[in-house]
Amino acid sequence: MRYTFETLEKIRGEYRERIEIRKKRTLEPGKKYILTCGGTSCLSIGGEKPTYQLFKEIIEKEGLEDKIEVVNVGCMRMCSEGPLVAMYPGGVLYTKVKDEETAKQIIDAALSENPYVEGHHYKDPLTGEIIHHMWEIPFFKYQESVVLERVGLIDPTSVEEYIATGGYFGLARALKMSPDDVIQEVYNSGLRGRGGAGFPTGLKWKFARQAQGEPKYVIANGDEGDPGAYMNRAEMEGAPFALIEGLTIAGYAIGASKGYIYTRAEYPLAAHLLEHAIKVAKEKGLLGENILGTDFSFDIEVFKGAGAFVCGEETALIASIEGKAGRPRPRPPFPAQKGLFGKPTIINNVETLMNVALIMEKGADWFRQFGTDRSPGTKVFALAGSLNVSGLAEVSLGTPIKVLLEDIGRGAPEGHTLKAVQLGGPSGGCVPTEHFDAPIDYESLGSLGAIMGSGGVIALDETSCMVDVAKFFIEFTKNESCGQCTPCRDGLVEMYDILDRITQGKGTMEDLEKLEKMAVTVKNTSLCGLGQTAPGPVLSTLRYFKDEYIAHIEEKKCPAKACLPLIEYYIVPEACKGCTICAKNCPVGAISGEPGKLHVIDPEACVKCGTCMAVCPFDAIIKIDAFGKE
Amino acid sequence: MPDKLTYEEIVKKHIERKGKTTEVILPVLEEIQETYGYLPREAMEYLAEALKISPAVVYSTATFYHFFSLEPKGDVIIRVCRGTACHVMGSGIIMNELMDELGLQGEGTTPDGKFTLESVGCIGCCSTGPNMVVVRNGKEEIFGYLTPQKAREVVKKIKEQIQSQGVGV
């Protein structure tokens, strides 16, 4: 059946209850909903069977279909506690659900008066308190739910559930307006590109609408190549219809009839769910010919990248769809004038387009209640690294960095102290603790030497060496450089060589000067965004952590004890009990000693894998400075 | 694998759907890579011929992207995530451990053609790192929260399975 404006209302009415029950915060008798997280992270740490299947099989076997319905939803955000399962009404959150036994316990508990299962709830690392209900957990309490509201709530394969949350009402409203009015509404919302650069979305659309040339194209940029960022993947996996709706609105606004969703080959689940959603949307008249019975027609195709970071740059992305090597070209002309196949094209980030669908549904004023005047709305961040709790966090723009790290992420694990946060991936920078009060918005992060980027947030503690972090990113961008322009192709290699020398204790103070000079040159003279931003990690660490560079050079010492050439593993004689566990686990047989007697590591044979330190039950193995001796 | 298409069929299928446009190059190469495990030279030449373009254009694209390989890969592909979060959690040590277990000096394929070890751009499971992806028979499995021992055990288990039941397990 093809939907019309009226059917949307009807479906929303029919399915509303199914959705509303999943938002109820109080325990109630009656039918229960079990939501299982179907995100890639939860699947990666789960047991043999996906969580959804565990529950489905038990419920079918025991004939409990009338009492419990299990729904496989998108990412439930708190990835470090996964695999996650939630029970509604009530919002009871179960953590680390990996096996049939636990699934059984949860089902029994859900059907009883006491829905809690010992050992499978969130325990706050700071207070020790066990918190059963999702909305009381600090990780969720400090977040906004705008873009992620549907992710983790609805079945991503069900268009009806999406409609029940207000889905497709944005498109319906847009289709009743003129394209120019749609662009004006998006412009008024103040929405800025969520891919990192922060260009006003409404303005980009206006340029493309005014540009001459037919046909026009719209592209959703889901080429989330930043190591450490995965919000776009979760968004595409959890609410594929929202992206399709946003892209369709963009197509209507600029007068395009064809759209692409460019995603990564590394995200097979996202591509699969998007393709499924496109098929369903076409069957329902929400995509294809005469959308919702109007004379607007629009088609979308999923395009999978082939593993090139530079293709996140818009002109390289276009080259890639055209079948060429993904090399950027100079701008202007901007894609809005001459883009895919030389035609006017707009490229928006996945999260930008999901915001568009919400803005068209709820209005520009609604959107402006979140965030700041210059950076309205929310942003989804991927928290990882040295944090007690990590996963996806959506907050209003303008929220201080420390809310993300301390209130939501609950700080560094016991025994560790945060020293910096890396924001924006290879194009971003490291911000030290003294700036954790700074608000997260495009301008403040820029002034700190970082960028918003796509939203990767990696917390670094005292065990992370800032020179090594800089080297890691330069190695990444060096490998990902398309090789077209000299500053990026050769400059990054030169910078890498210097950093490599420094981390081996072979650097000189002249190297340091040269490194800084080179970084500024690459930044100022590269052709595209990759090269222009690649020195960010080096420049920001030089700005805030120059002492670490100097320690590597002058003292031949890695203060974080992370650079392997500068450290040795050592068994503290007083602490060693001679239990032989280290010797048994050493992969190269570098540890000798008799049972009950002191063990010794042969530094010549040791490959510094750290296995001994991890397995020692007495914490007798430590890292010491090797002072650059080979 | 059921109904495995030949490269000729893959090329024809995409051109039928989209016409003779360079837009088909990446999707065709991806499907050939997935089906054959690498891009045979004849397949690239066939695609160029079908699109009436120089084989150099196809070759340029094929060699630009990490996803493509011009050499056959191992039956089992192990991809260690090289994302930032995995790096700070110790993915370098995991890589070394796996090289040791597989007897490799770096990334590459074992002489018996059974295993290929490579690094992969961030797979987006940053909260559960270090991670690796194991690809067997076109099926991907992700392993999170790795330690050197756990990574080695995964490979050992696969080796045992191959010995007792062949690759297709």
Side-chain angles (χ1 to χ4, degrees):
Chain A
M1 189 189 77
R2 290 176 67 85
Y3 292 168
T4 60
F5 293 116
E6 291 72 38
T7 33
L8 285 184
E9 284 292 354
K10 202 168 144 259
I11 291 167
R12 176 154 72 172
E14 279 170 18
Y15 280 81
R16 180 174 271 159
E17 205 193 338
R18 284 174 57 84
I19 300 299
E20 289 308 314
I21 212 166
R22 295 178 212 168
K23 294 181 185 172
K24 281 195 177 159
R25 295 182 169 193
T26 44
L27 297 169
E28 279 171 24
K31 187 171 173 177
K32 309 286 187 248
Y33 279 87
I34 297 256
L35 310 186
T36 55
C37 178
T40 301
S41 297
C42 275
L43 292 176
S44 80
I45 51 175
E48 302 266 307
K49 284 181 195 168
T51 333
Y52 173 74
Q53 208 183 323
L54 282 180
F55 281 89
K56 190 89 188 158
E57 282 175 9
I58 299 172
I59 289 168
E60 273 171 13
K61 204 168 113 200
E62 304 197 358
L64 296 170
E65 289 95 334
D66 294 341
K67 291 181 183 147
I68 296 188
E69 185 173 335
V70 49
V71 186
N72 199 28
V73 298
C75 177
M76 288 163 71
R77 305 190 207 181
M78 203 164 61
C79 309
S80 59
E81 304 292 308
L84 299 173
V85 171
M87 193 276 287
Y88 285 92
V92 178
L93 186 72
Y94 307 95
T95 59
K96 301 189 167 69
V97 183
K98 296 186 187 183
D99 50 41
E100 215 175 308
E101 183 60 36
T102 316
K104 258 191 188 130
Q105 284 176 344
I106 292 172
I107 288 173
D108 290 344
L111 292 173
S112 75
E113 301 262 291
N114 173 8
Y116 310 126
V117 177
E118 215 189 311
H120 288 283
H121 292 285
Y122 171 83
K123 182 177 175 191
D124 193 84
L126 303 183
T127 62
E129 188 190 354
I130 290 176
I131 307 176
H132 300 107
H133 294 260
M134 210 162 174
W135 75 93
E136 289 173 341
I137 297 172
F139 181 83
F140 295 102
K141 210 162 67 179
Y142 292 98
Q143 293 199 35
E144 294 286 353
S145 282
V146 176
V147 176
L148 291 186
E149 209 212 338
R150 292 155 169 151
V151 177
L153 175 76
I154 60 169
D155 173 359
T157 63
S158 162
V159 71
E160 291 86 2
E161 291 202 358
Y162 177 63
I163 291 169
T165 61
Y168 279 109
F169 284 85
L171 176 65
R173 178 165 164 255
L175 291 176
K176 289 176 185 163
M177 294 161 69
S178 75
D180 287 317
D181 288 345
V182 172
I183 293 176
Q184 194 58 42
E185 179 93 28
V186 173
Y187 183 78
N188 290 346
S189 75
L191 174 66
R192 298 169 67 177
R194 296 298 192 243
F199 192 79
T201 307
L203 206 56
K204 201 185 238 184
W205 290 16
K206 206 182 254 174
F207 293 150
R209 170 126 194 109
Q210 287 162 353
Q212 300 295 316
E214 290 288 330
K216 293 176 180 176
Y217 298 102
V218 290
I219 302 173
N221 188 348
D223 189 42
E224 187 176 47
D226 275 23
Y230 60 102
M231 62 293 295
N232 289 166
R233 193 203 64 208
E235 288 155 1
M236 292 187 283
E237 285 175 2
F241 287 104
L243 175 57
I244 293 168
E245 185 189 357
L247 192 59
T248 310
I249 294 170
Y252 176 72
I254 73 153
S257 53
K258 179 78 193 275
Y260 293 86
I261 299 174
Y262 191 103
T263 183
R264 301 172 67 210
E266 288 89 342
Y267 288 177
L269 182 59
H272 169 75
L273 288 169
L274 283 165
E275 268 159 5
H276 174 267
I278 288 170
K279 192 170 139 257
V280 172
K282 279 187 187 162
E283 284 165 11
K284 305 290 185 191
L286 298 165
L287 197 62
E289 300 292 313
N290 303 101
I291 292 172
L292 283 168
T294 66
D295 55 12
F296 174 60
S297 300
F298 184 72
D299 196 11
I300 297 178
E301 191 180 315
V302 174
F303 197 96
K304 279 193 276 178
F309 174 65
V310 70
C311 287
E313 200 277 344
E314 52 182 20
T315 59
L317 187 152
I318 287 171
S320 167
I321 296 183
E322 290 172 350
K324 301 177 201 151
R327 293 199 183 92
R329 59 158 179 78
R331 301 176 302 175
F334 287 93
Q337 274 104 33
K338 278 190 191 311
L340 187 60
F341 301 113
K343 304 296 180 192
T345 304
I346 53 166
I347 298 163
N348 285 131
N349 174 264
V350 164
E351 196 174 320
T352 311
L353 289 164
M354 288 194 168
N355 273 302
V356 162
L358 290 164
I359 289 166
M360 290 317 297
E361 181 201 341
K362 300 179 180 185
D365 290 336
W366 164 84
F367 185 73
R368 279 193 169 275
Q369 67 175 305
F370 304 100
T372 67
D373 201 36
R374 288 188 71 188
S375 302
T378 61
K379 174 80 193 86
V380 181
F381 293 93
L383 304 186
S386 181
L387 291 173
N388 272 310
V389 187
S390 54
L392 291 185
E394 180 173 13
V395 292
S396 283
L397 287 170
T399 303
I401 296 173
K402 68 171 181 203
V403 172
L404 272 184
L405 300 176
E406 288 162 19
D407 295 333
I408 296 174
R410 313 306 283 155
E414 210 187 328
H416 295 283
T417 325
L418 292 187
K419 75 170 173 191
V421 60
Q422 209 286 336
L423 297 165
S427 313
C430 295
V431 176
T433 32
E434 62 260 34
H435 293 294
F436 281 7
D437 281 327
I440 301 172
D441 60 57
Y442 297 95
E443 282 73 27
S444 341
L445 292 185
S447 72
L448 289 172
I451 61 163
M452 177 93 78
S454 52
V457 175
I458 310 231
L460 304 170
D461 63 21
E462 78 290 347
T463 64
S464 289
C465 167
M466 303 313 278
V467 188
D468 177 63
V469 167
K471 180 177 127 182
F472 166 76
F473 282 116
I474 297 298
E475 181 176 14
F476 178 82
T477 40
K478 162 182 84 81
N479 291 341
E480 294 295 337
S481 170
C482 79
Q484 190 174 210
C485 73
T486 316
C488 175
R489 181 191 60 229
D490 291 352
L492 292 173
V493 172
E494 193 66 24
M495 285 169 71
Y496 176 80
D497 287 346
I498 296 175
L499 288 163
D500 192 41
R501 275 206 296 278
I502 296 176
T503 53
Q504 291 186 43
K506 294 175 184 162
T508 62
M509 289 308 280
E510 290 78 61
D511 274 340
L512 208 53
E513 241 170 78
K514 196 171 158 202
L515 178 67
E516 190 153 11
K517 231 179 184 169
M518 191 77 75
V520 174
T521 309
V522 173
K523 182 180 167 177
N524 291 338
T525 57
S526 290
L527 170 70
C528 83
L530 190 154
Q532 288 159 11
T533 58
V538 168
L539 288 169
S540 65
T541 47
L542 277 174
R543 176 169 162 189
Y544 298 114
F545 298 97
K546 203 165 193 167
D547 53 327
E548 289 198 23
Y549 282 86
I550 294 173
H552 282 76
I553 295 169
E554 301 210 312
E555 299 170 48
K556 313 258 175 262
K557 202 166 131 178
C558 173
K561 299 210 171 32
C563 294
L564 295 183
L566 300 180
I567 61 145
E568 263 173 21
Y569 284 87
Y570 174 72
I571 302 177
V572 181
E574 298 77 39
C576 178
K577 305 262 189 263
C579 72
T580 74
I581 290 181
C582 59
K584 276 184 195 139
N585 281 281
C586 178
V588 291
I591 305 179
S592 54
E594 285 168 36
K597 293 197 177 135
L598 172 65
H599 281 54
V600 182
I601 301 172
D602 174 7
E604 301 290 314
C606 174
V607 293
K608 300 177 188 176
C609 69
T611 302
C612 54
M613 194 168 155
V615 297
C616 177
F618 308 104
D619 293 331
I621 301 178
I622 58 167
K623 293 191 229 176
I624 56 165
D625 295 317
F627 296 107
K629 69 176 183 226
E630 292 288 307
Chain B
M1 217 180 289
D3 55 11
K4 200 170 150 179
L5 297 181
T6 64
Y7 63 78
E8 289 97 337
E9 288 166 333
I10 293 171
V11 171
K12 276 182 196 140
K13 183 180 84 178
H14 283 267
I15 289 181
E16 244 165 56
R17 204 184 293 159
K18 303 221 60 171
K20 278 187 184 175
T21 154
T22 54
E23 231 183 294
V24 302
I25 295 179
L26 234 60
V28 164
L29 294 183
E30 271 165 17
E31 199 169 330
I32 294 174
Q33 172 77 44
E34 269 168 43
T35 313
Y36 289 78
Y38 75 112
L39 301 179
R41 185 189 169 120
E42 315 82 71
M44 289 190 281
E45 285 168 353
Y46 184 84
L47 172 62
E49 177 62 31
L51 291 174
K52 301 276 173 253
I53 54 173
S54 159
V57 176
V58 177
Y59 185 77
S60 150
T61 302
T63 49
F64 184 82
Y65 297 92
H66 299 301
F67 193 74
F68 303 129
S69 161
L70 304 190
E71 306 280 325
K73 287 194 183 175
D75 302 328
V76 180
I77 304 171
I78 300 174
R79 300 191 174 121
V80 179
C81 180
R82 55 170 180 166
T84 321
C86 288
H87 174 75
V88 299
M89 309 295 260
S91 63
I93 295 167
I94 306 287
M95 195 67 169
N96 291 342
E97 191 82 8
L98 291 175
M99 284 193 278
D100 187 66
E101 177 62 34
L102 295 170
L104 289 167
Q105 294 305 313
E107 291 180 31
T109 303
T110 53
D112 62 3
K114 290 213 162 61
F115 288 89
T116 293
L117 178 66
E118 51 189 34
S119 60
V120 62
C122 179
I123 56 161
C125 294
C126 310
S127 299
T128 57
N131 290 291
M132 68 179 185
V133 186
V134 174
V135 189
R136 255 204 291 185
N137 290 327
K139 269 182 75 180
E140 289 192 4
E141 196 179 349
I142 303 176
F143 294 86
Y145 289 135
L146 286 177
T147 58
Q149 298 97 300
K150 208 169 138 189
R152 195 185 277 269
E153 273 158 31
V154 170
V155 174
K156 277 196 172 143
K157 206 169 148 191
I158 296 173
K159 279 184 180 168
E160 278 164 25
Q161 285 172 354
I162 291 176
Q163 277 221 314
S164 59
Q165 296 154 43
V167 181
V169 185

